[in-house]
Amino acid sequence: MTTHHNRRMMNLGAFVHETGQHVAAWRHPDAYAESGTVFAQALDVARTAERGKFDLLFLADSAAISTHGSAESRGRMGKVVKFEPITVLSALAAVTTRLGLVATCTSTYNEPYTLARQFASLDQISGGRAGWNLVTSNNEAEAFNHGRDKHAAHADRYDRAAEFAEVVTGLWDSWDEDAFIRDKESGVYYDTEKLHVLNHQGRHFSVRGPLNVARSPQARPVLVQAGASDTGRDLAARLAELVFTAQTTFEQAREFYGDVVARLPRHGRSRQEMKILPGLYPVVGRTEAEAREKFEFLQSLIHPSVGLAVLEHTIGVANLSQYPLHGPVPDLADTNGPLSRQRLLLEAARRDKLTLWELCLLNAGPRGHLLSIGTPSQIADVMEHWFRNGAADGFNVMPAFLPGSLDDFVDMVIPELQRRGLFRTEYEGKTLRENLGLPKPVSRWARMPMVAE
């Protein structure tokens, strides 16, 4: 959240897939079907988000093509190719001025020094607008692209992620803000006492450092984390500055929000150091009937094989085609995939007595996030209720298809939020931290006690 004249205000992210959030988004007559290959389309989406005064553009990513489903279903997928996120965000940094730029990059199949260097560079290029979404990979196929014959276990992924983040943030503290003197007359370029060597030795990593990228205008990139399992919640409370969460009901969201906030003091953190943004899948119309028509049209574009394949990927369960499509959702054991999302969707299926196909339809757009269909006022009502009653500090808005669904939200919902005094009319700051209302982190070296000689 941000504040304006002492009023608490929402933070908003635009969470975008290549063609949109919906599994059949590319089939919409007005959709950017070539997203992921045409930079001009990515540029248009970013400019729309900045026109809407969004805090950040949040890129979804995966380092593998999903192998779930049949050959037929895979041939019908519209989100197969994508730009490498750091590359495209670096390009977008040059053509935007205030929009935050957040990329998803896995800790499971990366090295911390390389990732720290990439995001520190993006932060410099953008003038302090970068953020890293720390994930542990929910696509088991990524293992096969990184010299592994199977995906790491859930607990091991989170253990590695915690140490990975510790190394990355330590590397981001390599330089003090005033380390660089650059005095041509004296010939002194930097103060050697303001360069810090990490010398990390841990279970998963041995990284000496320092990083050869200077400290950024916002001190370091914003650390984002998404995960709702107990392990994920604790990792969020320990490290995350922005938490992206999936909740389908207000009660679930309020429980998650309260639980994660309550964990902060255990890790020596204050409430001001974290914002929690649930995902919101809005379908906006000038009337409720128009919104419902838009929703149903996209749903009608889902091929059954695609609906099943995407559900398999979302909950980490293979071979769902062995069950009757219009029969009840079977009892399924926990998997080594996206555990919290699996439990969330299966709980919804049991609660609402959904058939397997109905669960496919439910998953096709929101994928476990909040679905809101209606007029700008109706959608703003839902957002305001969650925001004012302890369930959210704002939302990650997930447009169904691009560019149309993002245009609808910016042109119709944003003005309604602004009219209610819930969202900014202009950017407050230049960096992502300033716009989010997050404090500038103090270097670990500045926090360390001085040792008397």
Side-chain angles (χ1 to χ4, degrees), residues 217-229:
Q218 62 171 348
R220 67 185 189 215
V222 172
L223 184 56
V224 187
Q225 195 266 339
S229 66

Side-chain angles (χ1 to χ4, degrees), residues 84-99:
E84 190 283 317
I86 298 295
T87 305
V88 72
L89 288 184
S90 295
L92 292 174
V95 289
T96 56
T97 58
R98 298 295 179 90
L99 183 69

Side-chain angles (χ1 to χ4, degrees), residues 25-40:
W26 72 274
R27 297 188 64 193
H28 193 286
D30 301 324
Y32 281 159
E34 300 83 18
S35 290
T37 56
V38 178
F39 177 69

Side-chain angles (χ1 to χ4, degrees), residues 48-242:
T48 299
E50 190 162 62
R51 176 170 64 85
K53 314 302 179 187
F54 274 78
D55 291 275
L56 53 101
L57 181 73
F58 192 143
L59 295 189
D61 189 52
S62 177
I65 293 175
S66 174
T67 55
H68 285 282
S70 63
E72 179 191 27
S73 70
R74 292 195 295 274
R76 294 175 178 274
M77 295 292 184
K79 303 176 187 180
V80 184
V81 293
K82 58 189 72 188
F83 293 120
E84 190 283 317
I86 298 295
T87 305
V88 72
L89 288 184
S90 295
L92 292 174
V95 289
T96 56
T97 58
R98 298 295 179 90
L99 183 69
L101 303 166
V102 176
T104 298
C105 287
T106 177
S107 62
T108 310
Y109 302 113
N110 269 308
E111 287 296 322
Y113 189 93
T114 302
L115 186 142
R117 191 174 186 226
Q118 289 171 323
F119 276 93
S121 297
L122 174 61
D123 217 22
Q124 288 285 355
I125 291 167
S126 64
R129 293 185 284 131
W132 168 39
N133 179 33
L134 163 62
V135 298
T136 61
S137 293
N138 65 7
N139 185 351
E140 298 191 42
E142 291 186 19
F144 309 134
N145 294 337
H146 295 86
R148 316 286 178 83
D149 57 5
K150 65 178 181 179
H151 200 31
H154 185 271
D156 291 340
R157 297 200 305 270
Y158 272 95
D159 186 61
R160 177 185 167 95
E163 186 180 341
F164 192 107
E166 182 68 22
V167 175
V168 169
T169 55
L171 290 168
W172 285 338
D173 283 343
S174 291
W175 298 91
D176 291 349
E177 286 189 27
D178 57 349
F180 291 95
I181 300 167
R182 300 186 179 96
D183 188 323
K184 293 185 178 181
E185 186 173 342
S186 69
V188 177
Y189 194 78
Y190 72 91
D191 185 341
T192 57
E193 293 186 358
K194 296 182 178 182
L195 171 64
H196 308 285
V197 180
L198 184 61
N199 280 326
H200 175 88
Q201 296 288 335
R203 177 185 173 192
H204 298 279
F205 304 106
S206 174
V207 180
R208 187 188 69 175
L211 193 65
N212 61 347
V213 181
R215 195 165 180 83
S216 90
Q218 62 171 348
R220 67 185 189 215
V222 172
L223 184 56
V224 187
Q225 195 266 339
S229 66
D230 187 70
T231 308
R233 293 180 185 207
D234 207 60
L235 184 64
R238 176 178 168 184
L239 298 169
E241 297 171 288
L242 199 64

